[in-house]
Amino acid sequence: MKIVLLPAVCLWLLFAVSGLAQQTPQSLADAEFPSLLGIYKDIHSHPELSGQEERTAALVAKELRAAGCEVTEHLGKYENSKLKAYGVVGVMKNGDGPTVLVRTDMDALPVQEETGLPYASKVITKSDEGKDVHVMHACGHDVHVAAFIGTARALGKLKDQWHGTLVFVAQPAEEIGAGARALLKDGLYDRFGKPNFALGFHDKADVQAGHIAVTEGYTSANVDSVDVTIRGVGGHGAYPHKTKDPIVLAAEIINAWQTIASRQNNPLDPIVITVGSIHGGTKHNIIPDEVKMQITVRTYKSEVREHVLAAIERIAKGIAAAGGIPPERAPVVSVSKDQFCPASYNNPELTKRLVAVWKKSLGNDNVEIIDPTMGGDDFSEYSLSDHSIPAVYFHFGAVEPAKIAEFKQAGKELPTLHSSKFAPVPEPTIRTGVIGMITAVLELMKK
Ligand SMILES: [Zn+2]
Ligand SMILES: [Zn+2]
């Protein structure tokens, strides 16, 4: 019997081995999906704010180790001492060859989830300011982590198809634009090697699941956070002539800032100036001493950025002076250095190369070339300020096609990223993220 069975066993083994050799990004993404879905739901229901990513980082470290990486934890040097270092780096070596950085972000947002999903977050935590806040993965960083783990697992199994060093970076604190800089400041490139290429991805709340969407050149904007204090002279609301009212000045200044885009800027250079927060006063009949504002400023080119930031300060000070505010009470305008996030630039040649690869692996109709946005992502830091490390940051769709059609027909906007009602549809979103990242890596590191 044994003699008869042996050839059959050998034949089976041969099939099994040849089957292994034929593993593809698609087959691996399919095989990993049930486990990645579990990881996704787990992270979704346990979101953590920027600088507090303890649980997520530990999970990622464990998974990267299991995938065959040498893992370093607690990476990151922040300027803000309240943020804890939860950066994780996994290095997967496979002989000589290029070094490629693959990045995911991990943090969630102070949003109360309203998706109604069975695995919706119920988490309430303390913010850096000590306030109780709801927390939600409203930007899809949970889906990024799941796809990132799937990518590491698959590339660990496809070592016969690539060579070089993979540096998997699980980055904390993307939402506050501080994480990437903190990792670089902690010696990311000195300790793990400067990559030849950097790759990042993000889900997209208005693109259908199963699609990859990418932009050539600038893909996201410079983000500046500006704090402005308009100082007046407070007093009784019934005697305005005895005061200098900072609320009226703030109103004039806000409107004048909007003319920077329309009158002081080349219309071919996109800019956005949004006053997201304004606070002043305590009561109906008191003119306060000051009004505080917080502004987000979006630009692409650095010369435009400098021009806009200067105009914001000049206008605030000019209007205050025109309102009779003495020089010593002039507005205080401060541009936050540690919250600056540079514009992301997709290397055009590299983008074209990857688009061809994605069209081959996902189908021509499933790859979209899209317009850039004025959103921001500190993935840009990895390509350095002169874009000398070629980088591509691509999107993968996160919405069922039927839902897109339904909203379009009703003339309604889909929930955007950061909305309490946004959550990616896990399948085929995770699968597309995994395939998109694996095929990009294989193209850059192929044998
Ligand atoms: Zn976000
Ligand atoms: Zn995000």
Side-chain angles (χ1 to χ4, degrees):
M1 273 304 273
K2 271 181 188 168
I3 295 162
V4 179
L5 264 179
L6 201 59
V9 170
C10 286
L11 207 63
W12 178 84
L13 266 174
L14 194 71
F15 278 132
V17 169
S18 63
L20 271 178
Q22 284 164 7
Q23 279 180 323
T24 61
Q26 286 80 357
S27 70
L28 285 168
D30 287 343
E32 293 294 346
F33 180 73
S35 157
L36 298 179
L37 179 63
I39 289 173
Y40 164 67
K41 288 181 177 173
D42 178 40
I43 300 173
H44 187 86
S45 49
H46 296 92
E48 294 170 305
L49 290 177
S50 310
Q52 302 183 11
E53 305 89 343
E54 185 175 11
R55 184 183 185 276
T56 314
L59 186 153
V60 171
K62 188 183 115 212
E63 290 294 339
L64 287 179
R65 246 176 230 120
C69 293
E70 199 174 298
V71 174
T72 306
E73 294 177 75
H74 299 289
L75 220 78
K77 273 195 180 143
Y78 291 105
E79 278 145 64
N80 177 351
S81 58
K82 282 181 189 161
L83 304 171
K84 295 210 178 82
Y86 289 120
V88 181
V89 171
V91 177
M92 194 183 277
K93 287 199 168 124
N94 193 18
D96 289 340
T99 298
V100 176
L101 181 149
V102 174
R103 177 265 211 171
T104 183
D105 36 22
M106 299 190 283
D107 50 335
L109 289 156
V111 173
Q112 183 170 5
E113 180 155 359
E114 292 179 318
T115 59
L117 288 166
Y119 48 91
S121 162
K122 296 181 184 71
V123 172
I124 295 175
T125 194
K126 285 251 184 276
S127 70
D128 287 342
E129 292 80 39
K131 284 188 209 146
D132 283 333
V133 289
H134 290 269
V135 193
M136 174 192 175
H137 267 295
C139 203
H141 297 188
D142 46 359
V143 92
H144 305 167
V145 172
F148 174 85
I149 290 168
T151 301
R153 285 181 182 175
L155 288 166
K157 290 175 184 157
L158 291 172
K159 277 190 163 175
D160 58 329
Q161 296 184 31
W162 60 274
H163 66 127
T165 303
L166 269 164
V167 180
F168 290 98
V169 176
Q171 182 205 305
E174 186 281 326
E175 293 291 359
I176 54 169
R181 199 161 41 239
L183 297 189
L184 288 162
K185 210 171 160 195
D186 203 5
L188 180 68
Y189 287 174
D190 303 327
R191 291 161 69 177
F192 306 101
K194 196 169 153 185
N196 300 97
F197 303 99
L199 299 170
F201 53 11
H202 205 293
D203 64 342
K204 197 145 172 59
D206 55 0
V207 168
Q208 85 171 62
H211 281 202
I212 279 182
V214 70
T215 310
E216 243 181 64
Y218 283 115
T219 180
S220 67
N222 288 312
V223 180
D224 274 291
S225 299
V226 185
D227 285 86
V228 178
T229 305
I230 309 296
R231 300 180 295 178
V233 178
H236 200 295
Y239 319 128
H241 54 295
K242 293 183 184 290
T243 72
K244 301 284 179 208
D245 187 347
I247 288 187
V248 172
L249 285 175
E252 284 180 45
I253 289 167
I254 291 169
N255 283 326
W257 280 335
Q258 296 311 316
T259 64
I260 299 173
S262 66
R263 301 292 89 182
Q264 299 191 31
N265 178 62
N266 181 341
L268 299 178
D269 287 322
I271 65 170
V272 176
I273 299 166
T274 293
V275 179
S277 160
I278 173 163
H279 292 278
T282 51
K283 199 175 180 299
H284 310 69
N285 60 355
I286 300 173
I287 290 170
D289 281 321
E290 60 180 35
V291 170
K292 285 182 181 293
M293 291 187 271
Q294 294 184 310
I295 315 167
T296 188
V297 180
R298 310 291 168 115
T299 53
Y300 289 130
K301 297 178 186 165
S302 35
E303 62 269 26
V304 174
R305 171 178 177 247
E306 278 161 32
H307 163 75
V308 171
L309 293 175
I312 285 172
E313 181 160 3
R314 189 177 61 242
I315 287 171
K317 290 189 168 161
I319 289 178
I325 299 291
E328 67 275 13
R329 296 283 292 159
V332 179
V333 179
S334 80
V335 180
S336 167
K337 278 203 184 93
D338 58 321
Q339 283 192 41
F340 171 59
C341 168
S344 287
Y345 184 75
N346 280 346
N347 180 284
E349 195 191 323
L350 184 60
T351 310
K352 282 191 186 80
R353 203 172 146 194
L354 297 185
V355 164
V357 166
W358 291 324
K359 284 189 171 173
K360 225 166 133 189
S361 56
L362 292 166
N364 279 348
D365 296 342
N366 295 330
V367 182
E368 302 177 27
I369 304 297
I370 53 165
D371 289 333
T373 74
M374 301 307 278
D377 194 306
D378 67 358
F379 172 75
S380 49
E381 299 276 1
Y382 299 107
S383 77
L384 304 180
S385 56
D386 58 357
H387 313 309
S388 57
I389 296 174
V392 168
Y393 171 84
F394 65 92
H395 298 275
F396 51 103
V399 196
E400 306 98 309
K403 192 170 172 185
I404 295 178
E406 179 197 319
F407 273 70
K408 200 173 170 188
Q409 204 176 17
K412 289 193 295 183
E413 290 287 339
L414 286 157
T416 60
L417 295 178
H418 294 198
S419 155
S420 59
K421 294 188 171 61
F422 170 73
V425 52
E427 171 67 353
T429 304
I430 297 174
R431 188 178 181 275
T432 311
V434 173
I435 294 173
M437 192 54 94
I438 303 174
T439 51
V441 168
L442 290 179
E443 168 64 16
L444 302 177
M445 304 182 83
K446 62 189 164 198
K447 275 189 169 164

